[in-house]
Amino acid sequence: MPTTLLAVDTAEKIHEPWTAQDTQTLVVAAIGIAIVVLLIVKVKMHGFLALTIGSLFVGIGSGIGLGKVALSFEKGVGDVLGSVGVLIVLGAMLGKLLADSGGADEIVDKILAGGRRGLPWRMALIAFIIGIPMFFEIGLVLLIPVIMLTIRRSKLPAMSLAIPALAGLSVLHGFVPPHPGPLVAIGNLHANVGITLAIGLVIAVPTVIIAGPLYAKVAARLVPIGALGAGGNLIGPGPSADGTTSAAVSGERTRRPSFTWTLITILTPVVLMLVRAAADVWMSETAWIYPFLQFIGEPMVALLIAVLLAMVTFGTGVGFTPVTLTTKLSESLMPIVSATMIVGAGGGFKQVLVDGGAGTAIGKLAVAASLSALVLGWLVAVMVRLATGSATVATVTASGIVAPFAADLSPTHLALVVLAIGAGSLFFSHVNDAGFWLVKEYFGMTIGQTIKTWSVMETIISVTGLALTLLLSTFL
């Protein structure tokens, strides 16, 4: 079921009386999450198998039906791999060429030019800029080679640089259009895009500062890992111990790409998606160029164009032969297979929870509390996020539930409700969130380490976002 239809269906059902089935659904969801954690932590089972087993348990226990449980799980896997999976593949290709061509070295040289002092702040700024038009997953796969190489060259703890970058990407994903969650919430609540964007940026800046560079100091002490992570396996390309790339060591390339061409290549998908977003806001759908801008700004197409450009700027342009270039693109896919399938299984787990009725049960609890539209929106988003693992589903569902309560609010307060919902949708990412597994696998962390860093960071973003929206609501 599309997310917009899911929100409407949930908004209608939450006004029905509480049933024993609702209680059973929430209990089964909690047990299912515990099963996944135990299988991975205690039994040392592969994440894909643990998530699959946990999903089947939740589906059967929630009453989906034996004949439909597998289909629900498969749908969730397919939905994630059909979108995020393609982006991971294209991002891995771009990241491989960026690293092996020496392009990552060019960027890191500029980042390190100011010394180690203030480096986490610069990393947060880069991620913040890239995160404005770009989905979290795309921004992450583009930044991974830069983050890892910066960690190696600066010799700073991994989390001191990773957390600021993750915070910059995540905050923009939850708060600022043209990201899908905020856009759908704006539509459901009939909020103003411009007002929401302006207030969203005002809230985003201090939130990134608190959850990024400031919390990074704590996270680096809690999880003191280096560039390879706890597992010792870096997902994607990486430089050798002396800071050079594998291509440089083997002598395959004859030169490095210039800093200008490196930036142009990396920012190509960012610019294309920004152009699409601008066309959505300021251009009529009847304009002759509108369909073309929509096409090239589609995340998959934008990344594909960037990869094709990188084959020149990071490929033949630095001395790689066509055969070497093809080999490198093939090599980029091998390290991401396991991570991609785990992310897909996380999507399957989320879908089973949604189909089992977890979102509906949570909506009933929230409405029964009779809170203000702002706080209610945040709480509903938090509970749906915890149960389903999807920030977008949480945003869409919460905005559909809150819409009747927010009908008489001013445009400014409607924007604040949208942002409060966005903040709630980021609360405590854990094992049922595909993003949790993406971060875990990229940085080679254990589940416990991922919770201490990524999950806590997401919670700080969520709580800080709520606090700032409540503060602004008293003045605006």
Side-chain angles (χ1 to χ4, degrees):
M1 180 183 294
T3 51
T4 51
L5 294 180
L6 172 65
V8 173
D9 183 57
T10 302
E12 292 175 349
K13 290 182 178 179
I14 61 167
H15 298 290
E16 298 175 358
W18 183 268
T19 66
Q21 176 63 32
D22 295 320
T23 303
Q24 178 180 335
T25 297
L26 294 183
V27 171
V28 168
I31 296 174
I33 292 170
I35 288 174
V36 173
V37 174
L38 289 174
L39 288 176
I40 295 174
V41 175
K42 298 297 183 182
V43 184
K44 307 300 181 184
M45 184 178 289
H46 191 276
F48 178 81
L49 292 177
L51 283 164
T52 302
I53 293 171
S55 299
L56 295 178
F57 170 83
V58 170
I60 295 171
S62 300
I64 291 179
L66 293 176
K68 296 180 180 179
V69 171
L71 293 177
S72 176
F73 175 75
E74 290 167 3
K75 180 183 183 301
V77 173
D79 287 346
V80 170
L81 294 184
S83 55
V84 176
V86 175
L87 302 181
I88 291 174
V89 168
L90 291 172
M93 289 181 171
L94 184 57
K96 176 69 171 175
L97 295 179
L98 172 66
D100 283 4
S101 67
D105 295 89
E106 286 289 326
I107 296 177
V108 172
D109 286 344
K110 296 294 183 181
I111 295 175
L112 293 177
R116 291 173 46 166
R117 185 179 179 85
L119 191 54
W121 297 84
R122 278 172 269 159
M123 190 64 72
L125 178 61
I126 292 172
F128 189 91
I129 294 172
I130 289 179
I132 291 175
M134 193 167 287
F135 295 156
F136 173 82
E137 293 84 357
I138 309 173
L140 181 58
V141 296
L142 286 179
L143 281 177
I144 281 295
V146 175
I147 294 172
M148 291 300 185
L149 187 53
T150 305
I151 292 169
R152 290 173 184 270
R153 296 273 294 276
S154 68
K155 301 188 185 302
L156 290 173
M159 290 301 106
S160 67
L161 298 180
I163 289 295
L166 292 172
L169 293 173
S170 185
V171 167
L172 272 296
H173 177 71
F175 291 175
V176 179
H179 291 278
L183 281 179
V184 173
I186 288 169
N188 285 344
L189 294 169
H190 304 291
N192 182 278
V193 174
I195 294 175
T196 305
L197 176 60
I199 300 177
L201 289 174
V202 170
I203 291 176
V205 172
T207 302
V208 170
I209 291 173
I210 294 170
L214 295 183
Y215 177 63
K217 297 179 181 179
V218 179
R221 291 196 295 269
L222 293 175
V223 183
I225 60 175
L228 291 181
N233 295 311
L234 172 60
I235 301 296
S240 58
D242 61 0
T244 58
T245 63
S246 58
V249 173
S250 64
E252 293 173 345
R253 73 165 194 248
T254 57
R255 53 195 172 277
R256 285 198 333 197
S258 67
F259 179 71
T260 300
W261 275 112
T262 299
L263 273 188
I264 289 174
T265 305
I266 292 301
L267 292 180
T268 290
V270 179
V271 172
L272 292 177
M273 283 184 276
L274 270 178
V275 169
R276 172 180 171 141
D280 285 333
V281 176
W282 291 303
M283 186 176 291
S284 170
E285 294 184 10
T286 59
W288 67 271
I289 199 173
Y290 180 81
F292 175 73
L293 297 180
Q294 290 292 298
F295 174 72
I296 63 173
E298 181 69 29
M300 184 200 76
V301 177
L303 263 179
L304 176 61
I305 292 173
V307 171
L308 295 176
L309 176 60
M311 292 175 67
V312 177
T313 57
F314 298 157
T316 56
V318 300
F320 291 149
T321 65
V323 174
T324 300
L325 192 57
T326 301
T327 300
K328 290 187 177 298
L329 292 177
S330 298
E331 291 173 350
S332 71
L333 302 181
M334 290 185 285
I336 67 168
V337 173
S338 178
T340 302
M341 293 311 300
I342 290 175
V343 170
F349 192 32
K350 177 267 297 180
Q351 188 64 46
V352 170
L353 287 167
V354 171
D355 291 345
T360 300
I362 286 170
K364 290 181 180 181
L365 289 174
V367 171
S370 301
L371 302 169
S372 69
L374 195 151
V375 177
L376 178 63
W378 185 82
L379 280 176
V380 173
V382 165
M383 290 188 286
V384 175
R385 162 71 157 182
L386 288 173
T388 67
S390 171
T392 301
V393 169
T395 301
V396 173
T397 303
S399 61
I401 290 171
V402 172
F405 304 94
D408 298 328
L409 296 179
S410 67
T412 300
H413 278 80
L414 277 177
L416 289 172
V417 173
V418 169
L419 296 171
I421 290 172
S425 73
L426 299 176
F427 191 88
F428 197 75
S429 164
H430 59 97
V431 296
N432 62 349
D433 176 21
F436 177 92
W437 298 101
L438 196 62
V439 172
K440 175 186 178 298
E441 294 300 311
Y442 268 134
F443 291 98
M445 294 187 288
T446 65
I447 285 183
Q449 290 173 328
T450 310
I451 289 175
K452 291 178 183 178
T453 53
W454 162 254
S455 301
V456 172
M457 181 207 77
E458 288 281 86
T459 304
I460 292 173
I461 291 173
S462 180
V463 174
T464 302
L466 173 65
L468 291 174
T469 55
L470 288 172
L471 179 64
L472 288 178
S473 70
T474 63
F475 295 102
L476 298 178

